Amino acid sequence: MGTSTGTKTVNKRKKREAWKIISLAVVSAAALLVAVGWTGFSILIAKQDISLLEKPLPAPTIIYDQQEKEASKIASNTFEPVTFDRLPKHLIDAVVAVEDKRFFEHDGTDAWGIGRALLTNLTSGKTVQGASTITQQLAKNVFLTHDRTWTRKWNEALLAKKIEESYDKQQIITMYLNQIYFGEGAWGIKRAAQTYFGKQVQELTVSESALLAGIIRAPSALSPFKHPEKAKERRSTALQLMKEQGKISPEKYEAAMLEPLRVRKSKASHDGGIKYPYYVDQIVREASELYGLTENEVLHGGLRIYTALDPRMQEAAERVYANETLFPESKPDQLIQSGAVLVDPRDGGIKAVIGGRGKQPFRGFNRAVQLKRQPGSTMKPIAVYTPAFEKGYSPSDTLWDVPTDFGGYEPKNAGGGYHGEVTIYDSIVNSYNIPAVQLLNDIGIDAGMEASARFGIELTDADRTLGLALGGLQEGVSPLDMAEAYGVFANDGVRMPAHSILRIESADGIVLAEAAEAEENALQTTDASIASTMTEMLEGVVREGTGEAAALPDRPVAGKSGTTEVTGGNKDNWFVGYTPQLVGAVWLGYDHTDATHYLTTSSKAAAAVFHELMGEALKGEPVMAFPGAPGYTKKKKDRDEEDWQTQENSQESDKEEKEREKEERKREKEREKQEDKADRGHGKGKDKEKGKGKRDEDEDNDGDEFEDELEDWVGDLMLSPMP
């Protein structure tokens, strides 16, 4: 018994000693691995080159045109650095509160922040929080290519560690604020203070500092010039974070919240010498919206961006917009503004962009793509006539242009006149309003809504009214929206989403983003025959209707004018038109329409600008013809009838054929008469009865001739168009 117990005790002791040895070995191995890992990590950190921080000039982003030739360069060489002692404490507190609340505690990367962001994103099911520290953002903006890979994140962490080892927190936050982009062309905090508030940095209030800190993540979307309510809401968020983190007292928080949003009335103009600034602005926007890159990544990332830009067309557009004589006279205190875009309908490539007139800041308001205005009658072909033709109506069908009450909605024509019974063709060419509303009422508002969506025009339930026929939209459209939509008519019924970017590469040639092939983007919007018919109608608008000022002397043009009215005049002038290879959309109007600022011109003003814009852009381009519209085999109420133009051509052909037949009969009768005369001259043996028979035959021939004449007259009458 005793021996057995002793044996068990010895065995237990041996097992404990074995486990101790194993545990010691594991701990030693782990310690060795940690030591080796840390040594390796330290070596990797030491190898990082951060000398570029002494030269606050990130690698330029290069823009290439459609021929892959360098067209523009985004080189942020306009930094105006300020020293740490010029930065108000509440500015630093605001930036840290919003961007990286543990900035003064971590050593470059924030494990707690990463865990918190990961948990938040997992519970929400999407990415709502980021985990990059201010130091990492500085490293990313200055050094790295912007491929979204774990390798990039690892390198970012190494650089952040090296920066933290080499600089103190004051130096890091100063470099960060001096180099980031605040929107409206303002790189660095000094430019931002001047651009938004007309102040020196040290003069910024708590409220102003909170606003600037709040817009860092999305300066374009949160610009107080373009989106004052969003900017104010973001400012409130920043102030709330400052209060929660103990950086401002409740009293200061309340005072700052009550402070009005006081930004400069006029923006400072500085584009950093960027060529084609409006086109580059669209590139930045597209890179963010389609490919997820931030403004800072595009502006500072040393990227290579290949685009659909046509420099010749862009320069032509810039020359046209520099010619003040082409535009209506403005009020002394506000310039009549305009936006225009040129798009190739065959592939959706944006060839040129003009976002405004006069001095404008880079990344300011781009009216070609950011504008939201009611499109007026330019909406009729999209929301009314295309779906009507799809339902079997034809251009020769008639509508009534008379005073009509559509359940309380009583549209009026421009000028107030009425024209009685008119064809659809005449309604389009002369832009009559009442027939368009009547037709939308007949086919149903849902048909107009559905067609608009196919053309890429985003509508809401609030747009589900008969006012849709006249472009009475709640939110409105941009010139780019309308150019893409009208591209359907120019491209056999196929919509190609408009885009400026073809491919984005990092500085070392890694493809970060690439546009899909044209075939993949193609959206069949309507039948090619419907598109051709609409084109013939819109050619009529330019040839003999409201768009005559848009006509080009040497090539076919189709298009539609549009206006929106205010008391005393117009708010908006539009012209959207196209040739087979290029669509152009032009908008004119005041940024701020009121009782003293409105247009006194008709849509001819926009058409005149379109004329110059397209004429200059298409110089040297081949003249191309539109495909002809096919004959219609179906008409309203299932009556077989050809398209109006085919009818007219057919009538002319039938008339010509009748004339030829008539002339041939006359010539035949003349030959018969001559033969009769010859017979009578040689008829010495003929009796009187035969002579009588001949006279009877002549009388019969005279009757036949009368019948032929009557048939010709009736035929001509039947073939003649109705008055």
Side-chain angles (χ1 to χ4, degrees), residues 5 13 35 109 320 380 408 423 440 490 583 593 604 640 644 693:
T5 302
R13 188 180 302 115
T109 56
V320 168
K380 292 175 182 175
T423 64
L440 180 61
V583 184
T593 304
K604 289 182 179 179
D640 291 337
W644 72 276

Side-chain angles (χ1 to χ4, degrees), residues 277-348:
Y278 284 120
Y279 199 98
V280 173
D281 169 81
Q282 173 59 13
I283 290 169
V284 176
R285 181 172 294 100
E286 202 172 291
S288 173
E289 293 176 356
L290 295 185
Y291 304 115
L293 298 174
T294 67
E295 290 185 75
N296 276 330
E297 286 175 324
V298 178
L299 295 170
H300 301 308
L303 305 180
R304 303 293 181 263
I305 305 180
Y306 296 84
T307 74
L309 169 69
D310 185 322
R312 190 184 59 77
M313 289 188 180
Q314 180 69 37
E315 290 167 9
E318 291 177 0
R319 287 195 304 272
V320 168
Y321 269 68
N323 184 355
E324 295 185 3
T325 63
L326 295 174
F327 297 86
E329 186 175 352
S330 305
K331 295 286 185 179
D333 61 335
Q334 192 181 157
L335 186 67
I336 289 176
Q337 273 299 343
S338 183
V341 64
L342 298 176
V343 177
D344 188 333
R346 298 165 297 185
D347 60 15

Side-chain angles (χ1 to χ4, degrees), residues 576-653:
V576 188
Y578 55 94
T579 66
Q581 71 265 56
L582 193 65
V583 184
V586 174
W587 167 84
L588 280 174
Y590 282 104
D591 282 343
H592 306 289
T593 304
D594 54 33
T596 58
H597 297 89
Y598 55 84
L599 299 171
T600 57
T601 56
S602 69
S603 57
K604 289 182 179 179
V609 175
F610 172 91
H611 167 87
E612 290 295 323
L613 182 66
M614 293 286 281
E616 289 295 313
L618 288 168
K619 280 184 177 178
E621 295 291 323
V623 176
M624 301 175 68
F626 291 118
Y632 264 75
T633 58
K634 183 180 177 184
K635 188 184 175 184
K636 183 184 171 188
K637 299 179 183 178
D638 295 324
R639 289 174 294 169
D640 291 337
E641 184 177 307
E642 291 185 329
D643 174 75
W644 72 276
Q645 184 66 56
T646 307
Q647 280 186 356
E648 187 174 273
N649 292 340
S650 176
Q651 289 168 2
E652 291 298 326
S653 298

